[in-house]
Amino acid sequence: MAALIKKRVLAEFSQSQVINEAPAKKIRTLRLSTSTNNKNGTAGSDSSSALAYIELLDKCKAGNDALQLLLRISDSLPQLQAEHVPIAAKRLAERFTNETEASVRAKILWLFAELGEVAEDAAEKANIIEETVNLLKNEESHRVKSQGLATLLKLGDFHKSAALQAARDHLPDTWHGVQTQCLSIIGRFLCPKSSDEMLAFVGSYAHSQDPRVRAQAFETMAELHLRRGCRLPASLFPETCEALRDDYEIVRRAVLKLIWLLGAEYPDNIMAGDGEELRMVDCAFSKICSLMGDLSPRVRAAAISLLGTMKGVSRRFMEQALDKKQKRGRDVAPEVEERSGSCGAFIHGLEDEFLEVRTAAVEALCSLSLEQPNIARISLDFMVDMFNDEIQDVRLRAIESLRKISASVTLREDQLETILGALEDFSGEVREGLHATLGTSRLATRNCLHMCVNRLLDNLSRYPEDKESIRVCLASLGASHPYLTLPLVPQLLGRHPFFDTPEPDVDEPSYASVLVLIFNAARHCPSMPALFTEHAAKHYHYLRDTMPHLVPRLRPTPTPLPALEKDDSENNDMRDRRGREFLERMVVSVERARPDGRVHAQLLEVAGVELDRLAEMDSGMEGAARFTALYIRCLLLLKSIVPELSTLPASSAPSITGSNTSNNVVLLLQHAQKLQRLFTGLGAEEIVLANDIRLKALAVELIRFTRGATGSALPLARHFLLEAEALASDSRKLPPFSRALVLQLPSLGEAKPGTLTRLLIPLLLTSSSQGEERLPRPSTMTRICRAIIEEPRGDADAALKFTGGLLLGIPLTAKILNLRDPAMLRIKLRHPDQQIQLLLPRQSDLRALTTEQSDYRLRTIVLLSHQVWMEACNVEVSLALLVPSTPVCTHPPLDDPCVIDLCKPVKVSVSPKPIKRGI
């Protein structure tokens, strides 16, 4: 029975069933045709893809399909070659004339604007404008007209007459979008010698029913006055003031600027009416002040910003804007004073509930105070009150504004009490800005100075990380208030009239900070050193050596020891001169040696070590010594790399990888990047030598990659040729390698990697004659970029714990000195598994510290995430520069020569924990 069932089952499975299915539908595929032929089928495809997509437009029947194709065309237009622009414009124009969908026609006109940017010839741009004008003549869709006029506005500089004529023709259109675009074109391209009829014609649209057209009409009149030379008549002022009552804020904002322009253009014109006579600038000031009660915060912010830029306003109106109480003039009737709109305008702005209005009010008050010192004295109390604002950005603006006007004001005790209250702010940026403000301020009395010093020392004990900025502040206070510091010296030093006091610890932060104040004051007060204690006189020399940028040179030196009576300034001048002479002797001794001898290499090694020591000992010569030492190390690396690469046969990549040659090549590339990117204040000769080392490093990299036979070296060869083309045309000023390269590159037939390698190897192996190759001699103005990480400190024993997979925020505070390009700054994270992560800090977290814009302060939060670890591990946090790299990077991330470290990494212990499963 079982056998029978088994046979039946097998029979059922062996039977085949035929199912009649519908025949498969054949799909017709479209092949993108290309107009350019290339060798490998890849080069030039980006350029020809736009034309291929344009050809496919004829086969699109539905509007949605055409829009999708136009989007692809838009993405590929940046790679379109300039000679293909006329073909693309012609095909798009043909599609426009046959298209029924308005959205597709509008998109085509938008593509015309992009084609105008791709085109290099001005005549071709003008042709695109003419084509757009012709297409708009028979157009009925308002949105298509608006887009076409926007294209004319973008490209109109190349055919102004055609764009203006199109604007005049379409201005009677009834849709607001078309009218606003036409008015914008007229304001941008109208001829300065045009008649006043056009100005009146534009002004007639200020009475349009649509508020957008009215606002654009006022903006066009303002632009015609400012940029096109069409002077607005003074009779326009009353009509413009009436428009301030408009119901729409965009109109009122546009009218504000026009009133400001008329008041600045005709300041002394007398405005008569209702029994009052006012100068036009005073009337404009009063009208703008009246808008501080506007319902729109944008209008109020715009009004207060314009008030800060008005010049020539009468003092009576300016002071009235700073006082809520009505002031009485001698020759002004009471009813006129009651109608004054400037009453307390700035006070209303400072008390506004919106952040942007208060910020604009602070900036406007600062601008007026810089122009008129008497306004600075009146507005000081209001500026100080803004230190208590609830928004940090407003407090920062108030602090910065007070620093700017500090030369015109003197702080009293009550004002200083309010200012010093901000030292307890949790934000380090606020405290640091306040330190800079106090350093530039003028104090009224000795009690003010004493109170300021005590609060700064309390700030130092509460926030030790503010030590540097507090000492800079105290140094500035001492230098600017020497005779207020003089009676405070015994009290600050703890000097007793009868008893000897113990010697304070000079390493104690508060005591050292007090000495910085006193020594800076003593420089401008000759009688002050007589009040110094014996300990303070001895501590002067210690602080002068450890903090030379904060402790000045005193004459005579405050010490009773006769052996130390020598003028400190002479010692420093002599030390600077000796450092320069030492650098010159080291360079000359190396240049006089025979380049291909053993002594030359030994001298280079000794010179590198000695110059590093010089950089550590003399801060003034640090940049010059570091640059020269780095250049010497590049020469040593070239001496060891070039002979090895020249003797290796082709296809020897494994042997190179296993040796130290690859590491030396990476190190050479990194040193070359440092020479070009890390130093400021270099001379022309030093820049030429740095470029020469960079070319040698790229040549070595090209030779290594070509002989390794691990891939195509064509991108490296092209990059090398681009760098070589940037050399100076005058070969007499170039070093030997660059000079020979400039002379021999034109005779090179085809720039293939192999051909270029055969040219470069003899040039690198050719040793210069004695005295031909010169070493750099940087000036004392050369500075090196470096970073100082203040937080995290790296000495914390406790690990930072967070849930695995989530984010951990690590506060980072650092100072970056002599930074040339802030865009290259990166935060470098090295994880325990040696993975490197480069983070781009926010632009708002980087703030300039000096007026030269070369020193920066970085305050940010580094976000870190990782899965669960078995135990706590260290994550290294540092700062680095990410410099532009070659097209093909052949180095691992750990040895990337394009990442230049600015400081030693700080280790932060991190411990991701698993998720706690609760009930």
Side-chain angles (χ1 to χ4, degrees):
M1 187 65 182
L4 182 61
I5 295 175
K6 184 176 181 181
K7 184 183 291 186
R8 185 178 300 170
V9 172
L10 290 175
E12 290 179 357
F13 272 95
S14 62
Q15 292 178 358
S16 61
Q17 185 177 2
V18 178
I19 301 175
N20 294 326
E21 295 181 351
K25 185 178 180 180
K26 294 183 179 180
I27 299 176
R28 180 168 171 258
T29 59
L30 299 176
R31 176 171 303 201
L32 299 180
S33 60
T34 59
S35 60
T36 59
N37 298 325
N38 45 55
K39 199 173 217 179
N40 50 13
T42 57
S45 61
D46 292 338
S47 176
S48 59
S49 60
L51 288 179
Y53 287 132
I54 291 174
E55 291 177 3
L56 291 178
L57 274 176
D58 297 335
K59 302 174 183 179
C60 293
K61 299 296 180 66
N64 191 23
D65 296 339
L67 277 178
Q68 296 296 327
L69 204 54
L70 288 173
L71 289 175
R72 293 188 178 184
I73 295 172
S74 176
D75 295 337
S76 57
L77 274 185
Q79 288 79 30
L80 185 68
Q81 297 180 4
E83 57 268 18
H84 296 158
V85 171
I87 302 174
K90 183 179 179 181
R91 299 287 180 83
L92 289 174
E94 292 174 356
R95 176 67 185 188
F96 183 93
T97 55
N98 300 326
E99 181 60 48
T100 58
E101 293 285 344
S103 58
V104 177
R105 297 199 303 272
K107 184 64 177 179
I108 291 175
L109 292 179
W110 186 79
L111 288 176
F112 275 6
E114 291 192 344
L115 282 175
E117 292 184 350
V118 175
E120 298 178 355
D121 189 9
E124 185 57 40
K125 296 176 185 288
N127 292 335
I128 294 176
I129 294 176
E130 292 180 355
E131 187 66 37
T132 305
V133 172
N134 293 331
L135 293 177
L136 290 177
K137 287 182 178 179
N138 300 322
E139 183 59 47
E140 296 180 357
S141 173
H142 299 297
R143 296 188 180 275
V144 177
K145 287 183 181 180
S146 178
Q147 181 58 59
L149 292 169
T151 300
L152 296 179
L153 180 64
K154 193 172 186 179
L155 304 177
D157 287 322
F158 300 94
H159 203 330
K160 295 181 180 179
S161 59
L164 279 172
Q165 185 60 42
R168 292 190 185 99
D169 294 340
H170 295 282
L171 192 55
D173 196 285
T174 57
W175 196 52
H176 68 88
V178 177
Q179 291 180 339
T180 53
Q181 293 290 353
C182 292
L183 291 173
S184 299
I185 292 175
I186 292 174
R188 181 79 59 85
F189 305 121
L190 188 65
C191 179
K193 298 181 180 179
S194 59
S195 61
D196 294 337
E197 296 180 0
M198 177 56 69
L199 191 61
F201 179 64
V202 173
S204 64
Y205 283 88
H207 304 286
S208 174
Q209 295 181 355
D210 196 292
R212 290 162 289 194
V213 179
R214 297 199 299 271
Q216 186 59 52
F218 285 118
E219 291 178 1
T220 300
M221 286 190 287
E223 191 167 7
L224 290 175
H225 181 84
L226 280 175
R227 301 180 181 178
R228 310 311 303 166
C230 299
R231 194 179 182 188
L232 295 174
S235 58
L236 189 63
F237 186 80
E239 181 183 355
T240 307
C241 292
E242 291 294 329
L244 287 175
R245 302 175 184 176
D246 199 282
D247 295 335
Y248 294 87
E249 75 169 78
I250 57 173
V251 181
R252 298 196 297 272
R253 288 171 60 190
V255 169
L256 275 175
K257 186 175 182 180
L258 203 56
I259 291 177
W260 176 80
L261 285 174
L262 290 171
E265 184 69 22
Y266 307 99
D268 297 326
N269 282 29
I270 302 300
M271 305 299 299
D274 296 337
E276 59 175 323
E277 291 185 354
L278 296 176
R279 297 167 61 235
M280 185 176 289
V281 64
D282 295 335
C283 186
F285 183 83
S286 181
K287 293 292 184 181
I288 297 176
C289 286
S290 64
L291 285 183
M292 289 311 300
D294 196 273
L295 294 177
S296 172
R298 294 183 179 181
V299 175
R300 299 198 298 270
I304 200 71
S305 298
L306 291 175
L307 290 178
T309 58
M310 296 194 71
K311 298 180 180 180
V313 181
S314 300
R315 182 175 179 178
R316 176 172 62 88
F317 283 87
M318 195 68 71
E319 292 180 353
Q320 181 63 75
L322 290 167
D323 193 353
K324 289 184 177 181
K325 295 180 180 180
Q326 192 69 50
K327 290 187 176 183
R328 301 283 179 180
R330 295 181 180 178
D331 302 330
V332 182
E335 60 274 8
V336 175
E337 289 286 356
E338 291 177 359
R339 292 194 298 267
S340 176
S342 61
C343 187
F346 284 107
I347 311 304
H348 293 306
L350 294 174
E351 296 174 351
D352 199 277
E353 59 179 335
F354 284 88
L355 162 67
E356 57 266 26
V357 181
R358 297 200 302 274
T359 303
V362 170
E363 293 178 349
L365 208 53
C366 177
S367 301
L368 287 176
S369 300
L370 292 175
E371 293 288 337
Q372 306 179 30
N374 60 320
I375 299 298
R377 290 187 288 270
I378 298 174
S379 63
L380 179 60
D381 288 330
F382 307 114
M383 195 73 73
V384 170
D385 289 340
M386 299 306 295
F387 281 51
N388 297 323
D389 195 274
E390 59 183 356
I391 303 298
Q392 177 180 332
D393 187 55
V394 179
R395 298 198 299 271
L396 286 173
R397 298 292 178 89
I399 291 171
E400 181 66 19
S401 300
L402 182 59
R403 186 186 64 81
K404 292 179 180 179
I405 67 174
S406 58
S408 305
V409 297
T410 301
L411 297 179
R412 304 187 307 269
E413 291 188 24
D414 57 329
Q415 297 167 341
L416 189 62
E417 183 68 30
T418 304
I419 294 174
L420 293 177
L423 287 174
E424 301 177 0
D425 198 293
F426 179 75
S427 172
E429 191 174 0
V430 173
R431 298 195 306 271
E432 188 173 352
L434 190 57
H435 297 157
T437 300
L438 289 174
T440 58
S441 300
R442 294 192 302 179
L443 306 181
T445 62
R446 179 187 64 182
N447 292 333
C448 290
L449 179 61
H450 195 199
M451 178 175 27
C452 188
V453 172
N454 289 334
R455 297 294 288 273
L456 286 173
L457 295 180
D458 292 341
N459 184 193
L460 179 61
S461 61
R462 180 175 299 183
Y463 300 103
E465 63 270 18
D466 294 350
K467 179 176 64 175
E468 186 67 21
S469 61
I470 288 175
R471 288 181 177 176
V472 172
C473 174
L474 289 173
S476 301
L477 284 174
S480 56
H481 303 86
Y483 292 98
L484 294 182
T485 310
L486 179 63
L488 297 175
V489 170
Q491 186 176 357
L492 293 175
L493 292 179
R495 186 172 183 176
H496 197 275
F498 305 112
F499 303 105
D500 290 335
T501 55
E503 179 178 358
D505 185 6
V506 70
D507 290 328
E508 203 273 323
S510 60
Y511 174 68
S513 302
V514 169
L515 289 182
V516 168
L517 169 76
I518 294 175
F519 291 150
N520 280 273
R523 184 182 182 183
H524 305 278
C525 184
S527 59
M528 190 177 295
L531 301 177
F532 289 176
T533 61
E534 183 180 354
H535 309 309
K538 292 190 298 184
H539 294 159
Y540 164 78
H541 297 281
Y542 174 76
L543 295 179
R544 177 71 186 128
D545 291 336
T546 56
M547 297 185 294
H549 61 290
L550 293 176
V551 179
R553 302 165 181 168
L554 299 182
R555 301 180 181 180
T557 303
T559 176
L561 301 177
L564 299 176
E565 286 289 340
K566 192 173 182 181
D567 195 352
D568 188 43
S569 62
E570 296 180 2
N571 292 335
N572 286 277
D573 294 339
M574 185 178 297
R575 183 177 58 186
D576 296 342
R577 186 171 62 253
R578 286 178 178 177
R580 184 67 189 172
E581 292 175 354
F582 177 78
L583 175 63
E584 183 69 23
R585 286 198 304 268
M586 293 294 297
V587 171
V588 171
S589 62
V590 174
E591 289 177 346
R592 289 179 179 177
R594 193 159 50 92
D596 54 350
R598 185 189 306 172
V599 177
H600 185 262
Q602 293 177 353
L603 284 175
L604 287 175
E605 293 178 357
V606 173
V609 175
E610 294 298 328
L611 288 174
D612 284 339
R613 292 178 180 175
L614 175 62
E616 294 175 359
M617 296 170 58
D618 191 350
S619 60
M621 292 294 298
E622 181 183 6
R626 295 289 186 193
F627 183 87
T628 308
L630 200 59
Y631 185 87
I632 288 174
R633 286 188 172 83
C634 291
L635 296 180
L636 290 171
L637 288 172
L638 285 170
K639 284 180 176 292
S640 63
I641 295 172
V642 175
E644 295 182 10
L645 289 177
S646 60
T647 56
L648 286 172
S651 303
S652 56
S655 61
I656 296 179
T657 307
S659 64
N660 292 328
T661 305
S662 294
N663 297 332
N664 289 338
V665 171
V666 173
L667 192 59
L668 176 63
L669 287 169
Q670 194 169 36
H671 286 350
Q673 293 279 21
K674 289 181 179 179
L675 287 175
Q676 285 189 318
R677 310 284 182 179
L678 213 56
F679 295 88
T680 57
L682 295 174
E685 185 176 355
E686 286 74 31
I687 294 176
V688 169
L689 291 175
N691 294 335
D692 182 70
I693 287 292
R694 171 68 174 163
L695 278 177
K696 290 180 179 179
L698 291 176
V700 167
E701 171 71 358
L702 178 61
I703 295 171
R704 184 189 72 89
F705 198 74
T706 303
R707 298 218 163 185
T710 57
S712 175
L714 189 60
L716 286 176
R718 290 175 178 171
H719 183 72
F720 177 83
L721 292 176
L722 288 176
E723 294 286 341
E725 289 177 358
L727 293 174
S729 57
D730 190 2
S731 59
R732 294 173 298 177
K733 300 180 181 180
L734 297 177
F737 175 78
S738 298
R739 187 188 315 124
L741 191 63
V742 169
L743 296 177
Q744 296 187 26
L745 273 181
S747 61
L748 190 64
E750 189 174 357
K752 292 184 177 179
T755 308
L756 199 56
T757 299
R758 288 190 293 272
L759 171 67
L760 292 174
I761 290 179
L763 295 181
L764 290 172
L765 289 174
T766 303
S767 59
S768 305
S769 59
Q770 187 173 357
E772 183 181 6
E773 186 166 358
R774 296 178 58 83
L775 294 182
R777 293 171 170 81
S779 65
T780 54
M781 301 301 295
T782 303
R783 297 289 182 268
I784 183 173
C785 180
R786 57 190 178 92
I788 303 171
I789 297 181
E790 300 173 352
E791 187 183 2
R793 299 180 178 272
D795 53 358
D797 297 332
L800 300 178
K801 299 179 181 180
F802 68 103
T803 303
L806 299 182
L807 291 176
L808 170 67
I810 303 176
L812 175 65
T813 303
K815 183 187 296 184
I816 303 97
L817 306 177
N818 308 311
L819 180 61
R820 290 169 53 182
D821 187 5
M824 294 193 302
L825 183 66
R826 296 293 185 273
I827 301 171
K828 183 177 178 181
L829 293 181
R830 186 190 290 265
H831 297 273
D833 56 357
Q834 299 306 305
Q835 294 292 326
I836 291 180
Q837 186 180 9
L838 297 178
L839 306 177
L840 177 65
R842 292 187 301 179
Q843 187 178 4
S844 59
D845 294 340
L846 196 65
R847 190 170 63 88
L849 289 178
T850 57
T851 55
E852 292 82 7
Q853 304 293 320
S854 58
D855 296 345
Y856 293 85
R857 169 80 68 184
L858 177 64
R859 296 181 186 271
T860 186
I861 301 294
V862 181
L863 299 180
L864 174 68
S865 180
H866 211 282
Q867 298 301 321
V868 179
W869 296 342
M870 297 299 296
E871 60 182 8
C873 297
N874 290 329
V875 175
E876 297 182 357
V877 182
S878 61
L879 293 176
L881 295 180
L882 181 62
V883 299
S885 60
T886 56
V888 178
C889 186
T890 60
H891 309 283
L894 292 177
D895 301 324
D896 192 352
C898 299
V899 179
I900 303 175
D901 293 327
L902 298 180
C903 60
K904 293 182 179 180
V906 176
K907 294 182 179 180
V908 180
S909 183
V910 175
S911 177
K913 294 296 184 181
I915 300 175
K916 294 182 179 180
R917 303 293 182 180
I919 298 177

